[in-house]
Amino acid sequence: MIDLYTFGTPNGRKVSILLEELGVPYNLHVIDISKGEQFAPSFLAIAPNNRIPALVDSDGPGGKQIDIFESGAILVYLAEKYGKFIPADPHARMECLKWLMWQMGGFGPMLGQAHHFLRAAKEDVPYGKERYVAEAKRLYGVMDGHLASHQFLAGTEYSIADMACYPWACRHEWHQVDLADYPNVSRWKQEISKRGGVARGMLVPNDR
Protein backbone atom coordinates (compact mmCIF):
# COMPACT_ATOMS: atom_id res chain seq x y z
CA MET A 1 0.00 0.00 0.00
CA ILE A 2 1.11 3.55 -0.73
CA ASP A 3 1.09 6.21 1.99
CA LEU A 4 1.19 9.84 0.85
CA TYR A 5 2.23 12.56 3.28
CA THR A 6 1.18 15.90 1.88
CA PHE A 7 -0.50 19.29 2.23
CA GLY A 8 -2.40 21.60 -0.13
CA THR A 9 0.55 23.13 -1.96
CA PRO A 10 1.69 22.92 -5.59
CA ASN A 11 4.47 20.50 -4.67
CA GLY A 12 2.08 18.29 -2.78
CA ARG A 13 -0.48 18.31 -5.55
CA LYS A 14 2.00 17.11 -8.16
CA VAL A 15 1.94 13.71 -6.48
CA SER A 16 -1.77 13.56 -5.70
CA ILE A 17 -2.47 14.36 -9.37
CA LEU A 18 -0.27 11.46 -10.48
CA LEU A 19 -1.83 9.03 -7.99
CA GLU A 20 -5.33 10.04 -9.11
CA GLU A 21 -4.34 9.75 -12.77
CA LEU A 22 -2.93 6.28 -12.10
CA GLY A 23 -6.07 5.28 -10.22
CA VAL A 24 -4.13 3.43 -7.54
CA PRO A 25 -5.32 3.34 -3.91
CA TYR A 26 -3.33 5.24 -1.32
CA ASN A 27 -3.55 6.30 2.29
CA LEU A 28 -3.52 10.05 2.86
CA HIS A 29 -1.64 11.63 5.76
CA VAL A 30 -2.09 15.39 6.05
CA ILE A 31 1.03 17.20 7.24
CA ASP A 32 -0.16 20.67 8.22
CA ILE A 33 2.88 22.81 7.51
CA SER A 34 1.09 25.87 8.92
CA LYS A 35 1.27 24.13 12.33
CA GLY A 36 4.84 22.92 11.98
CA GLU A 37 3.89 19.25 11.61
CA GLN A 38 6.69 18.80 9.07
CA PHE A 39 9.14 18.93 11.98
CA ALA A 40 7.61 15.98 13.84
CA PRO A 41 10.17 13.20 14.37
CA SER A 42 7.87 10.65 12.72
CA PHE A 43 7.77 12.73 9.53
CA LEU A 44 11.47 13.58 9.60
CA ALA A 45 12.21 9.86 9.64
CA ILE A 46 10.69 9.74 6.14
CA ALA A 47 11.56 13.23 4.89
CA PRO A 48 14.70 14.53 6.65
CA ASN A 49 14.54 17.80 4.68
CA ASN A 50 11.24 18.58 6.48
CA ARG A 51 9.35 19.26 3.27
CA ILE A 52 6.21 17.74 1.84
CA PRO A 53 5.36 15.61 -0.04
CA ALA A 54 6.79 12.28 1.02
CA LEU A 55 5.73 8.79 0.06
CA VAL A 56 6.08 5.33 1.58
CA ASP A 57 5.46 2.29 -0.58
CA SER A 58 5.27 -0.94 1.43
CA ASP A 59 5.59 -2.87 -1.85
CA GLY A 60 8.70 -1.22 -3.21
CA PRO A 61 11.43 -2.73 -5.37
CA GLY A 62 11.98 -6.39 -4.51
CA GLY A 63 8.88 -6.29 -2.32
CA LYS A 64 10.69 -4.15 0.25
CA GLN A 65 9.37 -0.91 1.71
CA ILE A 66 10.78 2.27 0.21
CA ASP A 67 10.55 5.80 1.62
CA ILE A 68 10.87 8.71 -0.82
CA PHE A 69 11.07 12.46 -0.36
CA GLU A 70 11.39 15.17 -3.05
CA SER A 71 8.37 15.50 -5.33
CA GLY A 72 10.32 14.96 -8.55
CA ALA A 73 11.81 11.71 -7.27
CA ILE A 74 8.34 10.53 -6.21
CA LEU A 75 6.92 11.31 -9.65
CA VAL A 76 9.67 9.36 -11.43
CA TYR A 77 9.32 6.43 -9.04
CA LEU A 78 5.56 6.11 -9.46
CA ALA A 79 5.63 6.65 -13.22
CA GLU A 80 8.27 3.94 -13.61
CA LYS A 81 6.57 1.55 -11.20
CA TYR A 82 3.26 1.68 -13.05
CA GLY A 83 4.67 2.26 -16.53
CA LYS A 84 2.57 5.33 -17.23
CA PHE A 85 3.11 9.05 -17.80
CA ILE A 86 6.82 8.73 -18.54
CA PRO A 87 7.63 8.13 -22.21
CA ALA A 88 9.18 4.85 -23.27
CA ASP A 89 10.94 6.38 -26.29
CA PRO A 90 14.41 7.51 -25.12
CA HIS A 91 14.21 10.92 -26.78
CA ALA A 92 10.73 11.69 -25.44
CA ARG A 93 11.74 10.34 -22.04
CA MET A 94 14.66 12.73 -21.90
CA GLU A 95 12.36 15.61 -22.89
CA CYS A 96 10.11 14.64 -19.99
CA LEU A 97 13.01 14.50 -17.53
CA LYS A 98 14.49 17.76 -18.82
CA TRP A 99 11.29 19.65 -18.18
CA LEU A 100 10.74 17.93 -14.86
CA MET A 101 14.21 19.08 -13.75
CA TRP A 102 13.43 22.54 -15.11
CA GLN A 103 10.40 22.66 -12.88
CA MET A 104 12.27 21.38 -9.85
CA GLY A 105 15.14 23.82 -10.32
CA GLY A 106 13.28 26.93 -11.45
CA PHE A 107 9.55 26.82 -12.10
CA GLY A 108 8.76 26.15 -8.49
CA PRO A 109 11.58 27.56 -6.38
CA MET A 110 11.52 30.93 -8.14
CA LEU A 111 7.74 31.15 -8.11
CA GLY A 112 7.80 30.18 -4.46
CA GLN A 113 10.17 33.06 -3.76
CA ALA A 114 7.78 35.43 -5.54
CA HIS A 115 4.96 34.13 -3.33
CA HIS A 116 7.08 34.72 -0.25
CA PHE A 117 7.97 38.33 -1.01
CA LEU A 118 4.51 39.20 -2.32
CA ARG A 119 2.43 37.43 0.31
CA ALA A 120 4.37 36.29 3.35
CA ALA A 121 7.40 38.50 4.03
CA LYS A 122 7.19 40.28 7.37
CA GLU A 123 8.49 43.47 5.80
CA ASP A 124 8.18 45.03 2.37
CA VAL A 125 11.17 44.14 0.22
CA PRO A 126 10.70 45.81 -3.19
CA TYR A 127 13.90 44.29 -4.57
CA GLY A 128 12.73 40.78 -3.70
CA LYS A 129 9.36 41.36 -5.30
CA GLU A 130 10.85 42.81 -8.48
CA ARG A 131 13.52 40.12 -8.80
CA TYR A 132 11.27 37.08 -8.39
CA VAL A 133 8.25 38.38 -10.29
CA ALA A 134 10.60 39.16 -13.18
CA GLU A 135 12.08 35.67 -12.96
CA ALA A 136 8.61 34.13 -12.85
CA LYS A 137 7.69 35.96 -16.04
CA ARG A 138 10.94 34.87 -17.69
CA LEU A 139 10.20 31.23 -16.85
CA TYR A 140 6.67 31.50 -18.20
CA GLY A 141 8.19 32.89 -21.38
CA VAL A 142 10.50 29.88 -21.64
CA MET A 143 7.58 27.49 -21.26
CA ASP A 144 5.36 29.48 -23.61
CA GLY A 145 8.01 29.39 -26.31
CA HIS A 146 8.36 25.62 -25.97
CA LEU A 147 4.61 25.00 -25.97
CA ALA A 148 4.25 27.04 -29.15
CA SER A 149 5.42 23.95 -31.05
CA HIS A 150 4.60 21.16 -28.56
CA GLN A 151 1.24 19.98 -27.26
CA PHE A 152 2.76 18.99 -23.93
CA LEU A 153 6.15 19.57 -22.34
CA ALA A 154 7.53 16.21 -23.48
CA GLY A 155 5.98 16.58 -26.95
CA THR A 156 2.74 14.88 -27.91
CA GLU A 157 2.57 12.78 -24.72
CA TYR A 158 1.11 14.06 -21.46
CA SER A 159 3.60 13.23 -18.71
CA ILE A 160 4.82 13.80 -15.18
CA ALA A 161 6.56 16.96 -16.45
CA ASP A 162 3.14 18.50 -17.10
CA MET A 163 1.86 17.31 -13.72
CA ALA A 164 4.82 18.96 -12.01
CA CYS A 165 4.26 22.35 -13.64
CA TYR A 166 0.48 22.49 -13.65
CA PRO A 167 -0.20 23.18 -9.93
CA TRP A 168 2.29 26.04 -9.99
CA ALA A 169 0.71 27.55 -13.09
CA CYS A 170 -2.65 27.42 -11.31
CA ARG A 171 -1.26 30.01 -8.91
CA HIS A 172 -0.18 32.43 -11.63
CA GLU A 173 -2.06 35.28 -9.99
CA TRP A 174 -0.02 34.75 -6.82
CA HIS A 175 3.16 35.66 -8.70
CA GLN A 176 1.52 38.46 -10.73
CA VAL A 177 1.50 36.63 -14.04
CA ASP A 178 -1.31 37.23 -16.52
CA LEU A 179 -1.78 34.12 -18.65
CA ALA A 180 -3.14 36.29 -21.45
CA ASP A 181 0.51 37.22 -22.01
CA TYR A 182 1.39 33.53 -22.45
CA PRO A 183 -1.22 32.07 -24.81
CA ASN A 184 0.50 28.73 -25.26
CA VAL A 185 0.73 28.17 -21.52
CA SER A 186 -2.92 29.19 -21.24
CA ARG A 187 -3.93 26.64 -23.90
CA TRP A 188 -1.87 23.93 -22.20
CA LYS A 189 -3.31 24.72 -18.77
CA GLN A 190 -6.89 24.65 -20.03
CA GLU A 191 -6.34 21.31 -21.74
CA ILE A 192 -4.85 19.71 -18.64
CA SER A 193 -7.53 21.11 -16.34
CA LYS A 194 -10.16 19.02 -18.15
CA ARG A 195 -8.62 15.75 -17.01
CA GLY A 196 -10.53 14.02 -14.23
CA GLY A 197 -7.42 12.84 -12.42
CA VAL A 198 -6.04 16.36 -12.40
CA ALA A 199 -9.27 17.79 -11.00
CA ARG A 200 -9.35 15.15 -8.25
CA GLY A 201 -5.67 15.51 -7.44
CA MET A 202 -5.96 19.27 -7.08
CA LEU A 203 -8.54 18.78 -4.31
CA VAL A 204 -6.23 16.68 -2.14
CA PRO A 205 -6.14 16.90 0.83
CA ASN A 206 -9.15 19.21 1.09
CA ASP A 207 -11.82 16.66 0.16
CA ARG A 208 -10.48 13.56 1.89
Side-chain angles (χ1 to χ4, degrees):
M1 182 54 119
I2 288 173
D3 289 88
L4 172 63
Y5 298 79
T6 192
F7 197 56
T9 70
N11 284 335
R13 286 174 174 150
K14 298 175 193 176
V15 179
S16 56
I17 285 173
L18 176 54
L19 286 167
E20 293 293 336
E21 290 275 31
L22 290 169
V24 298
Y26 61 98
N27 296 320
L28 177 69
H29 304 269
V30 178
I31 304 298
D32 192 337
I33 61 176
S34 69
K35 298 179 180 178
E37 293 179 358
Q38 69 273 30
F39 297 105
S42 58
F43 182 68
L44 291 174
I46 304 167
N49 197 38
N50 60 268
R51 297 288 188 272
I52 62 95
L55 182 139
V56 176
D57 184 0
S58 61
D59 184 25
K64 298 179 181 179
Q65 177 174 304
I66 186 169
D67 304 347
I68 311 172
F69 67 95
E70 285 295 329
S71 57
I74 296 171
L75 293 178
V76 172
Y77 171 76
L78 290 172
E80 290 186 337
K81 174 173 181 168
Y82 292 100
K84 293 183 178 180
F85 304 116
I86 187 166
D89 174 79
H91 291 279
R93 178 185 175 84
M94 187 49 59
E95 281 298 303
C96 172
L97 294 176
K98 278 164 46 178
W99 286 98
L100 176 60
M101 295 304 107
W102 176 83
Q103 188 284 314
M104 294 292 296
F107 197 79
M110 297 299 103
L111 274 52
Q113 289 293 330
H115 295 176
H116 173 77
F117 285 105
L118 291 168
R119 301 171 62 90
K122 295 181 180 179
E123 60 185 75
D124 186 34
V125 186
Y127 173 76
K129 293 178 180 178
E130 181 179 352
R131 173 180 172 82
Y132 290 108
V133 169
E135 180 62 4
K137 292 179 177 179
R138 186 191 72 81
L139 290 164
Y140 271 87
V142 171
M143 184 160 63
D144 196 72
H146 179 70
L147 290 172
S149 56
H150 299 81
Q151 182 181 6
F152 298 109
L153 290 172
T156 59
E157 190 173 340
Y158 170 67
S159 74
I160 54 175
D162 302 292
M163 298 179 204
C165 292
Y166 177 81
W168 284 101
C170 286
R171 289 190 173 178
H172 61 95
E173 294 176 344
W174 283 33
H175 34 268
Q176 297 184 352
V177 166
D178 185 350
L179 288 189
D181 296 330
Y182 307 94
N184 301 305
V185 175
S186 181
R187 182 271 307 161
W188 165 88
K189 178 177 174 293
Q190 290 176 10
E191 185 170 352
I192 291 174
S193 70
K194 297 174 183 177
R195 299 181 63 92
V198 171
R200 292 190 299 274
M202 286 294 290
L203 293 175
V204 175
N206 300 335
D207 70 334
R208 294 167 67 103

